[in-house]
């Protein structure tokens, strides 16, 4: 079976064939850090996190690059409001963003470049575009991309006509007067004395937004990407601008073979957005809902479809999540209370069917919604088998192993699989530690060294050290 993805560039489902064998260069646009991130951002980064994880699960060697926009007009304006230094403000919100991603189980990118760390690369890219007569500086100290030179590519990703883009996207087009053509976009912007700026051949200034992604992906993702991702609002002008710039610099087409865009997270049918003010920050939502429920809520919709956010929908997601989580807890309980023995009771068959189903769903443009629906069916079957017959421990452990395997992709059930107590990820209560040590003693008495070691390792992982002494076992937190 082949993995198929929906490509915004061709507007078709296509078989996924990377440019260089199993190597996948994947770039996802990061946030502009002028405030705490909201749940709409979480939607984007969780979606691409799962796409990245699934590609690894499928045996691809993924290099995941995602930037942080740490200099931008929004940052400068917000710093003016708060009276902070803009660099201090963006550093503060970069930390907040990374904290949120860690809380939500989003894997760290392989490379997470910042704009301020790549001014040289950005200036070099702009110089090259000017040299190739694809960009022009103006007496005001700005530099623009000259779209009249590559007009045939206008609308290449948004599939709109030049006229449509001029009319429909007025709000997103820079209105500067020194442009030659209304759709030309800024590459370098002159900075006032009070604003952050860097010396350049065109005077003191700062990068326009789009150029950073071209410069960084060329530096870290080779000249052509396999996948470029972001929210659907970035298709125009941001991603189209990236195509013009990158192909203008390298002369290679396509800049990215596949373009993937996540749908919006909305409130009352309107996109959740900082500028509209209809947002809940990730931190606010985490105060009320555990991270795994938030992930489950987001993954329970296909990444390209809209998710309507409400407390009720999150609560429903919480209940749905618990149905699968309870099965995992049932399995763990059954393992603890079941002697060894090779009774399979049909579990191996169910696991192999569930694994096939998981791959079939995810191979169809990463359909996490269908994958979760199939997991419900699998869970029900597992519960029925456990209560109807008595599968032996190896069969039960295989079920847990299967959940671990797919959780490498979904990142939702880790706590239930490892048995960390609710609300105490990463920590066991004293009572639980005592109970686990007792179980380890029982295992040792039964000469089940493997199980005894597993328990000791589980405790060690949580920073609990066991000392076997003359007076019995003592433990302490390391
Ligand atoms: P920004 O910081 O606004 O550039 O957003 C960073 C990423 O989050 C972009 O890929 C956006 O498309 C995405 N994003 C922002 N708001 C939402 C939303 N409400 N739903 C889905 N994705 C969003
Ligand atoms: Zn970008």
């Amino acid at each position: 079976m082949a993995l198929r993805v929906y490509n915004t560039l061709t507007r078709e489902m296509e078989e996924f064939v990377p440019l260089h064998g199993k190597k996948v260069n994947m770039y996802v646009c990061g946030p502009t850090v002028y405030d705490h991130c909201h749940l709409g951002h979480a939607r984007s980064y969780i979606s691409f996190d799962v796409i990245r994880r699934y590609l690894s699960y499928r045996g691809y060697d993924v290099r995941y690059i995602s930037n942080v926009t740490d200099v931008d007009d929004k940052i400068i304006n917000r710093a003016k409001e708060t009276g902070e230094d803009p660099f201090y403000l963006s550093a503060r919100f970069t930390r907040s963003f990374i904290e949120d991603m860690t809380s939500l189980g989003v894997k760290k990118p392989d490379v997470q470049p910042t704009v301020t760390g790549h001014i040289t690369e950005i200036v070099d890219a702009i110089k090259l575009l000017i040299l190739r007569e694809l960009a022009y500086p103006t007496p005001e100290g700005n530099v623009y991309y000259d779209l009249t030179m590559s007009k045939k590519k206008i609308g290449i990703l948004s599939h709109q006509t030049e006229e449509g883009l001029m009319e429909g996207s007025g709000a997103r087009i820079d209105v500067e007067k020194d442009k030659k053509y209304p759709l030309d976009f800024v590459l370098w912007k002159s900075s006032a004395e009070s604003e952050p700026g860097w010396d350049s051949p065109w005077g003191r200034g700062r990068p326009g937004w789009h150029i950073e992604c071209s410069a960084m992906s060329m530096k870290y993702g080779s000249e052509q990407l396999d996948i470029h991702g972001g929210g659907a609002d970035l298709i125009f002008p941001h991603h189209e601008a990236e195509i013009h710039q990158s192909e203008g610099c390298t002369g290679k087409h396509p800049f990215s073979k596949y373009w993937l865009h996540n749908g919006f997270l909305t409130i009352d049918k309107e996109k959740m957005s900082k500028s509209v003010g209809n947002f809940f920050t990730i931190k606010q939502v985490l105060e009320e809902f555990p991270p795994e429920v938030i992930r489950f809520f987001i993954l329970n919709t296909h990444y390209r479809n809209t998710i309507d956010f409400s407390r009720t929908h999150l609560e429903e997601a919480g209940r749905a999540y618990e149905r699968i989580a309870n099965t995992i807890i049932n399995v763990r309980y059954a393992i603890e209370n079941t002697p060894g023995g090779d009774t399979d009771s049909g579990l191996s068959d169910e696991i192999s069917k569930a694994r096939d189903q998981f791959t079939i769903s995810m191979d169809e443009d990463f359909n996490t919604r269908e994958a979760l629906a199939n997991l419900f069916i699998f869970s029900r079957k597992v519960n029925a088998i456990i209560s109807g017959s008595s599968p032996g421990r190896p069969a039960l452990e295989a079920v847990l192993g299967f959940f671990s395997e797919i959780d490498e992709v979904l990142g939702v059930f880790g706590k239930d699989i490892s048995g960390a107590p609710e609300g105490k990820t990463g920590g066991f209560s004293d009572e639980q530690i005592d109970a686990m040590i007792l179980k380890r003693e029982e295992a040792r008495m039964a000469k089940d060294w493997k199980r005894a070691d597993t328990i000791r390792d589980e405790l060690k992982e949580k920073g609990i050290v066991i000392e076997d002494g003359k007076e019995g076992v003592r433990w302490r937190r390391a």
Side-chain angles (χ1 to χ4, degrees), residues 27-30 67 209-210 212-214 228-229 234 238-239 242:
Y27 186 98
V28 173
C29 293
N67 63 312
W209 173 32
H210 316 307
E212 68 187 66
C213 292
S214 287
H228 195 312
L234 300 192
H238 185 57
H239 286 165
E242 283 188 39

Side-chain angles (χ1 to χ4, degrees), residues 217-247:
S217 65
M218 283 191 285
K219 173 154 184 178
Y220 298 109
S222 89
E223 295 186 325
Q224 287 173 292
L225 298 169
D226 295 289
I227 295 182
H228 195 312
D233 55 329
L234 300 192
I235 296 174
F236 185 87
H238 185 57
H239 286 165
E240 279 206 18
E242 283 188 39
I243 293 176
H244 287 283
Q245 297 161 163
S246 299
E247 295 187 2

Side-chain angles (χ1 to χ4, degrees), residues 30-32 38 40-41 44-45 230-231 233-234 262-265 271-272:
T32 305
H38 58 64
H41 297 118
S44 188
Y45 299 121
D233 55 329
L234 300 192
N262 66 270
F264 295 141
L265 183 121
K271 180 186 167 227
M272 184 179 279

